[in-house]
Amino acid sequence: TSNAMWGGRFAAGPDAIMEAINASIGYDQRMARQDIEGSRAHAAMLAAQGIVTDSDAEAIREGLLTVLSEIEGGTFEFSTALEDIHMNVEARLKEVIGEPAGRLHTGRSRNDQVATDFKLWVRDQIDAAITGIDALIRALLTQAEDGADWVMPGFTHLQTAQPVTWGHHMMAYVEMFARDLSRFKDARARMNECPLGAAALAGTGFPIDRHMTAEALGFDRPAANSLDAVSDRDFALEFLAASSICAMHLSRMAEELVIWSSAQFRFVTLSDRFSTGSSIMPQKKNPDAAELIRAKIGRIFGAHTALLIVMKGLPLAYSKDMQEDKEQVFDAADNLMLALAAMEGMVKDMSANRPSLEAAAASGFSTATDLADWLVRELNMPFRDAHHVTGALVALAEGKGCDLPDLSLDEMQSVNTSITEDVFGVLGVHNSVASRTSYGGTAPSQVRSQIARWKEILA
Ligand code: ARG
C-alpha cells in the first residue's frame, strides 16, 4: 500500500531498501519535543488567522500533548514506513483526534518544519554548551585562585622556558573557553530566525502570520527568504565549528593533564572519581577521562567536515541530502557535552602538587632569562651580549650538573668579572614570577586581577 501522507499518486509502496535508505526516524525521533512545539505554535497561528477553526486548533494542540506524553513515556510506536518524526507524530495525531489532524499541515511543508525543529534542537544544544563551558570556567577560576602564586615551569616546545604561576596557566584556559562561550553566543544570535512558514520553498498563499510563530518559538524574527530558510544549515555548521574549536581546547587541556599526571611529572593528582585502574598492573591509575576527551574530539571535527561536504554542492532549495545533517550534529553535541562535563569534573577534583611544581619550576635553567635581564639592567649590557654571557653560565652549570643558583660567585665571575652577589636575587623562581608584572603577565598580582576581572564578567 502506498504512503498515507504522500502516496496519492503512487500505486505501489516502496521497496524495503527504499524504505531503509529513506527513513530517518531511527535518529530524528530525538527532535520529537521540538517537532511538537513547532506544530503547536503553527496550529495556534492557523486559528488566530482564521485558517482553521479554534476548535480544530484546540483539538490539534491537545492531541499533540498526548502524543508527546506517549513519546516521553516510551509507549509510542515509531514506524519506519512513516519515515521521520514529523510524519510519525502527525499519523499518531490522526489516530488520537481524527479528522482535524489533517488540517495541521496547512500552509506548511516538511521542509520548513524540519528546518524549524532542527534549529530549535541545535539552539537547545548551544544553550547546553554555554552552561557547560560556564561551569568549566568557574572550576578553572577556583583552581587559579587557590594557586595564584604557586610556581611551575612554563614551556615552549615542551622544554622548560620560564617559570609561570599555576594560576596563570589555569587562566590561560579561562581565556580560551571564554572565547568559546562568546562563539556559541554569537552563533545563537545569528541563527535565531524562524524558518516556519517558508513552506516547501516559495512561501504560501494562506494568510499565515510568520511573526506570530517566530515569537511563540522564541525566535527574534522570521527568516526573510523562503528559499534560504529551507535550505540553510549554517546554524548547524556554526554549532559544529564552535564545537570543534572548543573541543580542540578541551583536547589540549586533556593532553596536559595526561602529561601532568604521569609519574615523571607529578604536577597533578587526578581524583579516583575521574581515573581508572589496570586489570593487570595493580599500581596503575590512568587518566582515561582525559584520554577519551582527547580522542572524542575527532568525531566532532569529523561531523563538521562531513556536514560541510553534504552541503557544499546542493542546489537551492531542499534536497534529501540534508537529512544527513542530523546524525552528525547529534553525535557531536553528545560528545561535546560529555567532554565538557568530564573536564569540569576533572578540574574540580584535581589537586596540584605544589612541591613538584616548584621543584620543576626551578630546574632546567628556567631563570636564565631573568639572569640576562639582570645583566642588562644592572651592568648596562646590550641584551644580545647578556644573552651570550648567560648562555655561557648555563653551559658551565650544565657541565657541573647543577642549576644556575648553585653556581658560586667565583664561578659566575669566571664568565664575567662584573657580576656581583646581587645576581642571586633574580635566580629564584618566586622573584622571577613576581617580576612579570606587565599586563597579562604571570605575576601573582596580575593573575589575581585577571581572576577578579573574569569573576565580574561572569557574575
Ligand atoms: N526527514 C526529512 C529530513 O530530515 C524531512 C524533510 C523531508 N522533506 C521532503 N521534501 N522529503 O530532511
Side-chain angles (χ1 to χ4, degrees):
T1 59
S2 68
N3 187 290
M5 300 287 165
W6 45 251
R9 62 160 294 167
F10 288 77
D15 188 271
I17 298 295
M18 179 63 220
E19 200 169 283
I21 197 173
N22 200 36
S24 54
I25 187 61
Y27 47 88
D28 68 14
Q29 53 183 270
R30 290 187 66 172
M31 305 192 307
R33 197 171 48 74
Q34 288 77 11
D35 189 68
I36 285 170
E37 200 188 336
S39 289
R40 280 172 48 84
H42 186 66
M45 180 278 291
L46 290 176
Q49 296 299 103
I51 301 167
V52 303
T53 63
D54 286 345
S55 68
D56 280 352
E58 219 16 71
I60 290 168
R61 285 168 53 80
E62 278 301 309
L64 285 168
L65 289 183
T66 305
V67 176
L68 181 61
S69 67
E70 289 176 3
I71 293 173
E72 289 183 338
T75 59
F76 190 96
E77 273 183 44
F78 293 103
S79 149
T80 309
L82 289 166
E83 277 181 48
D84 56 26
I85 186 62
H86 324 293
M87 296 203 294
N88 268 268
V89 167
E90 194 185 314
R92 178 64 188 141
L93 182 67
K94 179 105 188 284
E95 288 170 9
V96 175
I97 68 166
E99 191 259 1
R103 301 185 186 280
L104 169 61
H105 214 51
T106 314
R108 181 179 81 166
S109 151
R110 264 189 301 156
N111 297 345
D112 58 334
Q113 188 179 358
V114 72
T116 305
D117 294 2
F118 194 33
K119 250 192 188 184
L120 290 171
W121 196 91
V122 170
R123 200 176 67 183
D124 285 348
Q125 295 301 308
I126 289 179
D127 291 341
I130 289 171
T131 305
I133 295 169
D134 189 85
L136 174 56
I137 289 177
R138 284 167 203 277
L140 287 163
L141 281 170
T142 302
Q143 283 285 352
E145 227 170 0
D146 290 347
D149 52 11
W150 302 353
V151 289
M152 66 179 286
F155 299 92
T156 60
H157 314 265
L158 199 55
Q159 308 290 319
T160 302
Q162 294 175 359
V164 295
T165 49
W166 171 260
H168 198 50
H169 205 120
M170 294 297 110
M171 291 306 289
Y173 282 108
V174 168
E175 295 288 335
M176 290 147 82
F177 290 118
R179 285 195 297 276
D180 292 324
L181 208 56
S182 91
R183 260 184 287 276
F184 279 110
K185 287 179 178 171
D186 284 353
R188 194 191 197 287
R190 197 164 18 256
M191 64 106 75
N192 210 27
E193 298 184 337
C194 186
L196 193 60
L201 75 167
T204 175
F206 289 103
I208 61 171
D209 181 354
R210 291 193 58 206
H211 294 273
M212 180 179 168
T213 42
E215 199 189 317
L217 296 171
F219 288 103
D220 296 327
R221 63 194 81 87
N225 181 295
S226 61
L227 281 169
D228 174 53
V230 292
S231 51
D232 165 38
R233 292 294 180 273
D234 291 6
F235 62 92
L237 287 166
E238 275 199 69
F239 171 73
L240 292 174
S243 297
S244 293
I245 297 174
C246 179
M248 175 271 288
H249 292 150
L250 286 167
S251 182
R252 292 181 76 174
M253 179 154 203
E255 169 72 3
E256 294 211 308
L257 294 182
V258 169
I259 295 172
W260 290 357
S261 62
S262 69
Q264 290 68 27
F265 270 76
R266 285 193 192 288
F267 283 7
V268 297
T269 305
L270 299 176
S271 71
D272 287 359
R273 301 195 317 144
F274 284 95
S275 307
T276 56
S278 156
S279 52
I280 174 170
M281 296 167 282
Q283 86 285 9
K284 292 282 276 181
K285 184 173 162 191
N286 293 327
D288 292 35
E291 296 168 80
L292 285 164
I293 289 171
R294 194 173 57 182
K296 277 180 179 299
I297 270 33
R299 300 159 68 135
I300 298 175
F301 296 175
H304 186 216
T305 306
L307 185 54
L308 279 170
I309 295 170
V310 167
M311 296 304 297
K312 81 165 190 52
L314 296 185
L316 303 187
Y318 179 86
S319 297
K320 197 62 173 255
D321 309 50
M322 290 164 73
Q323 181 167 285
E324 288 290 313
D325 55 4
K326 286 167 216 73
E327 274 177 298
Q328 300 292 346
V329 174
F330 292 168
D331 185 74
D334 290 345
N335 283 291
L336 180 71
M337 303 316 152
L338 196 53
L340 280 169
M343 186 57 89
E344 187 210 340
M346 274 192 295
V347 170
K348 258 188 181 157
D349 278 15
M350 75 182 176
S351 53
N353 299 333
R354 203 175 165 183
S356 308
L357 290 170
E358 191 145 348
S363 71
F365 314 108
S366 67
T367 53
T369 313
D370 299 85
L371 174 51
D373 288 350
W374 182 87
L375 296 168
V376 170
R377 219 171 35 243
E378 303 300 324
L379 306 184
N380 196 27
M381 228 182 247
F383 182 77
R384 279 294 152 226
D385 297 348
H387 187 288
H388 201 78
V389 167
T390 307
L393 288 166
V394 166
L396 183 62
E398 195 169 45
K400 289 194 59 190
C402 69
D403 275 314
L404 283 173
D406 305 324
L407 291 173
S408 68
L409 184 58
D410 278 353
E411 285 164 335
M412 294 260 188
Q413 288 175 340
S414 74
V415 173
N416 185 291
T417 50
S418 313
I419 296 176
T420 67
E421 192 70 39
D422 286 354
V423 76
F424 291 98
V426 298
L427 297 181
V429 289
H430 285 279
N431 287 339
S432 169
V433 295
S435 72
R436 302 285 199 269
T437 52
S438 55
Y439 182 83
T442 198
S445 58
Q446 277 299 320
V447 171
R448 289 206 173 87
S449 76
Q450 290 300 330
I451 294 171
R453 183 173 73 89
W454 278 114
K455 282 186 151 178
E456 209 175 295
I457 293 170
L458 294 172

